[in-house]
């Protein structure tokens, strides 16, 4: 049986970079909401993003359990911004008898701001992939939604400082 590695962190904290490190370490499959929404509708869901992302997540969580039961490891690169999100996925995985481990990306402000600038520059140059541009309005909206987890919620607390 495989294991699910759940990555929690705010936007541009380095979750996708960290997921790639875990992928190599644990020979795992990464399931990313951002990647799925980009591939399916090129991030053109507009005001319906939250609804669409929730549907994608519901599908991917079922696939994560299925993949683990088939013997492979899975990384969920979703962010898990609220305690409710984290509680819901933990409950679901428990109900499926799937082992899981929480990882939080704790990024210092200087690195975080640099990550946002680098991301936006890549997007402006046409190299953003599934990423979307983070302007001040979006950043403020997303930060208002993010709930920093308590250390007791996480199995691994990874500090990203460059």
């Amino acid at each position: 049986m495989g294991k699910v590695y759940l990555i929690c962190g705010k936007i541009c904290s380095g979750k996708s970079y960290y997921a790639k490190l875990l992928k190599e370490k644990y020979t795992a499959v990464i399931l990313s909401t951002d990647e799925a929404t980009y591939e399916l509708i090129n991030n053109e869901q507009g005001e319906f993003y939250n609804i669409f992302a929730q549907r994608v997540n519901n599908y991917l969580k079922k696939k994560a359990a299925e993949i683990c039961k088939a013997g492979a490891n899975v990384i969920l690169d979703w962010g898990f911004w609220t305690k409710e999100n984290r509680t819901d996925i933990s409950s679901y995985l428990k109900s499926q008898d799937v082992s899981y481990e929480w990882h939080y990306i704790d990024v210092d402000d200087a690195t975080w701001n640099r990550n946002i600038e680098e991301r936006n520059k890549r997007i402006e140059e046409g190299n953003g992939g599934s990423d979307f541009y983070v302007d001040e309005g979006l950043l403020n909206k997303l930060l208002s939604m993010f709930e920093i987890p308590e250390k007791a919620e996480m199995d691994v607390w990874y500090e990203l400082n460059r």
Side-chain angles (χ1 to χ4, degrees), residues 79-92:
F80 299 101
W81 291 358
T82 67
K83 184 165 181 78
E84 181 181 9
N85 293 148
R86 297 186 292 268
T87 301
D88 287 349
I89 192 74
S90 293
S91 296
Y92 176 77

Side-chain angles (χ1 to χ4, degrees), residues 4-7 31 60-61 64 74-80 89:
V4 177
Y5 297 89
L6 304 126
I7 303 177
L31 298 179
L60 292 179
K61 78 178 182 185
V74 175
I75 299 163
L76 295 182
D77 178 10
W78 297 3
F80 299 101
I89 192 74

